[in-house]
Structure formats: C-alpha cells, structure tokens
Amino acid sequence: MEFCLETLKPTYRVLWGSTGNSNALSIAKSIGFDQKVLDRAQEWVEKLLPDKQKERQGLLYGSLLDERNLLESQANEVASVLSEVEDLYNEIRLEADGLDSRVAALKAKESQKVQQELKSVKSQMDLLIKNFEVQLKNSKLEQYNSIMRKAESATASLAAAHQPTEFAVSDGENKSLYVPQIGDKVYVEGLGGGSMATVVEILSEDGSCMVQYGKIKVRAKNNKMKLAQRDTKETSASSSAQGKGRAQKRSPAGTAQTGSVSFAPAVQTSRNTVDLRGMRVGEASNKLEMAIDGCRPYQVLFVVHGMGTGAVKECALDVLRSHPRVVRMEDESPLNYGCTVAYIE
C-alpha cells in the first residue's frame, strides 16, 4: 500500500509487485518518541539494511510511480476522446431528429397547399360550368359549336395552369446522362425523397462524388442522384469558356478536342437515336439538324444512316462535320459502318 511521507497517511493505492519502505521511525517521531531512541534505532536500521538493497528498492518504487503516471495520462486521453465521440453522436442524433420533424412539417405544408389548390380549381370549374349552362340557355342552335369550343378552351387553360412542375429530364434519362458538378443541388436515393444534398467534391471519372446532407457527407454515384438545381451563372460561364476553346482547337477534319468535358455514356436508346434510312438526302439533312438542335448539352447521338449507295451517309457526315455543336464523331463499332456516334456539346 502506498504511503505519503509528507502527511504520514496512506493513499489507499495498491502498488502491485513492489514492497514499500518501512515508515515506522517516521511515525514514531510524529507521535513523540524520544529522539535518542529514534537515533539509536536508525543506526541499527542502517547496519541491518545493505545500501544496495535500499537503492534497488528505491529505484523499483520510482519506476512503478512513473508507470502509474503514464497509465493515468493515457487513461485521461482516452476519456477525452470518448467524450468527443459521445458529443458527436449526440449532435448527429439531434440532427436526425430535426430532419424528421422538418420532413413532417414540409409534408403537412404541401398537403395544405394541395387542398387549397384543389378548392380553388373546383370553384373555377363550377363557375365555368355555370356560365356554360347560362350561355346554352340564352343562345341559338347555330351558336352551340362556338360556345362548346370556348368552354373546351377555358377548361384546357385551367388544366394547363395547374399542371405539376416536373424536371426536364426523366428519371431514367437523368440516371444515365447526369454529370455531377460541384455546387449542384441533387436528390440522392436513400437520403429521403424530399431532401436535397449538395455536391461538394468529384471523386472519379465514373460519376461518383461526395455530397453534403446537413452536417453529414456521404459518397454517391451519378446513377443514384437526380439533379434538382444548378447554378446557372457558373454553368453558362464555363460553357462560354469551353466554346471559345473548342473554336480555337477545331481540326480540319471537323472534330474537336473535348478536353476534360464529360459526356453521357455511349449507350444507344430510342431517345438518343435518329434513323435516316430510306430518306432522301434533303429530308435526311433536315431531320438530322433538328435532332442535333433538340439534344441536351453533352449528349451522345446515334445517327443510323445505313450503307446503301452512300448518299445519305455522306450527307449525314457532312452535317455532323459542319454543325457547331458536334465536337466529335466516330463509328458505332468496327463492324457497324452504318451508324455514327456524335458527341453534342
């Protein structure tokens, strides 16, 4: 048991593997023993206890104290780390609880908004029907067609005014064509249907990136994300700079160096294919130009022109070479010369 020589009291700490020095004379002195007796006793202690043994015991005791202090320091450090982890856990839990409450509040707000809109539409429809019935009663037979057309037009206008807002890109197209950019606001599958995250870092060329959702950062792939909002200022500025660079780098063959621009995956679907087979040259040229103009930025377009006499193919290649939005083109495969893949900026 450890003993404090200054206070002459035990510390109630066990020192395993060591024997402490005798404190009998110190205690005897503190309780008033005669000093001559104590001096005589100390002489006998020094004669009976070799110096080397005393020194060895003192070194052992000191090393044990150092080891104990080191362990206490490490224990304090571990306790500090544990406290930080507990604080972080509590913070994340509070954030999650707050997200649930916000989602519930947003759903309630949207439901109330839909109910109000339905009520407004119903009242407008009732008014249209009432006016229609009044006009039918007060009009002649030859005016019925005109009244019917006016009523249909008013009904169509009312329906169009309350159509839900949708994304310009469908779910299937967005998952295959979306190229994430830093700052994009996206919906990420698995984070909740109505919760937006922000793209903060692009990790690899396959479309995976780091998104921030509140205070939490997670890794996601582009096929698990849907674009909700993009900073149009940054996008237009970067597009202008890329356009200037491509204008300067256009090669005689009509292709362009795309640099670090990422295009959609070259996977053929009915939405990104234009079939020119069986058409006349003029008709094929007009249809191909319309298809290119209808493409979204950085889309891949499959131009099926066939072989035949080669007139339609040469027409298609001439249009692709001269069109300012086409930055590169190539055969669909070494075994298929009847289809050309065009990369549209």
Side-chain angles (χ1 to χ4, degrees), residues 74-277:
Q74 293 176 347
N76 293 334
E77 184 177 354
V78 170
S80 176
V81 173
L82 178 61
S83 176
E84 293 179 1
V85 171
E86 290 177 347
D87 292 341
L88 180 60
Y89 169 76
N90 293 330
E91 183 178 354
I92 294 175
R93 186 177 63 181
L94 291 175
E95 182 73 15
D97 294 341
L99 287 175
D100 292 339
S101 62
R102 288 199 294 270
V103 168
L106 286 174
K107 288 182 178 179
K109 184 177 179 180
E110 288 296 325
S111 177
Q112 183 180 5
K113 182 178 178 181
V114 170
Q115 293 295 331
Q116 292 176 352
E117 188 171 354
L118 285 174
K119 185 177 180 181
S120 173
V121 172
K122 186 177 182 299
S123 62
Q124 294 179 54
M125 285 297 299
D126 291 341
L127 181 61
L128 283 175
I129 294 172
K130 184 177 181 180
N131 292 336
F132 177 68
E133 292 175 347
V134 171
Q135 291 176 3
L136 283 180
K137 290 180 180 180
N138 300 329
S139 61
K140 298 180 180 180
L141 183 62
E142 57 270 16
Q143 296 176 328
Y144 281 5
N145 290 336
S146 175
I147 295 174
M148 289 289 293
R149 285 195 295 270
K150 289 181 180 180
E152 291 175 354
S153 176
T155 304
S157 300
L158 181 61
H162 293 85
Q163 283 289 336
T165 303
E166 297 179 354
F167 289 99
V169 182
S170 65
D171 290 347
E173 292 176 327
N174 188 77
K175 288 184 177 180
S176 61
L177 302 180
Y178 171 58
V179 179
Q181 295 182 11
I182 294 178
D184 285 355
K185 304 293 185 181
V186 295
Y187 295 109
V188 182
E189 183 177 334
L191 288 184
S195 303
M196 280 195 300
T198 304
V199 177
V200 295
E201 183 181 358
I202 307 298
L203 298 178
S204 60
E205 296 180 355
D206 63 355
S208 63
C209 59
M210 190 71 70
V211 299
Q212 184 162 358
Y213 177 61
K215 295 184 179 180
I216 304 172
K217 290 184 179 180
V218 296
R219 180 170 182 162
K221 290 188 176 181
N222 63 339
N223 60 355
K224 300 294 183 181
M225 294 185 292
K226 182 176 181 180
L227 179 63
Q229 181 181 348
R230 174 169 287 174
D231 191 340
T232 55
K233 294 182 179 180
E234 293 182 1
T235 304
S236 61
S238 62
S239 299
S240 176
Q242 292 168 359
K244 293 180 180 179
R246 283 192 290 270
Q248 295 174 356
K249 296 180 181 179
R250 175 114 14 213
S251 63
T255 60
Q257 299 179 4
T258 58
S260 60
V261 176
S262 298
F263 285 86
V267 179
Q268 186 174 5
T269 65
S270 60
R271 295 178 180 271
N272 64 359
T273 301
V274 55
D275 193 347
L276 308 178
R277 291 176 296 182

Side-chain angles (χ1 to χ4, degrees), residues 325-343:
R325 292 191 63 193
V326 180
V327 297
R328 182 161 59 92
M329 58 183 182
E330 59 188 22
D331 290 332
E332 194 271 332
S333 72
L335 301 179
N336 185 7
Y337 296 99
C339 180
T340 298
V341 181
Y343 294 83

Side-chain angles (χ1 to χ4, degrees), residues 304-338:
V304 181
H305 42 67
M307 297 300 292
T309 62
V312 174
K313 178 178 180 180
E314 289 301 322
C315 172
L317 295 180
D318 289 341
V319 172
L320 294 176
R321 292 191 188 101
S322 61
H323 202 288
R325 292 191 63 193
V326 180
V327 297
R328 182 161 59 92
M329 58 183 182
E330 59 188 22
D331 290 332
E332 194 271 332
S333 72
L335 301 179
N336 185 7
Y337 296 99

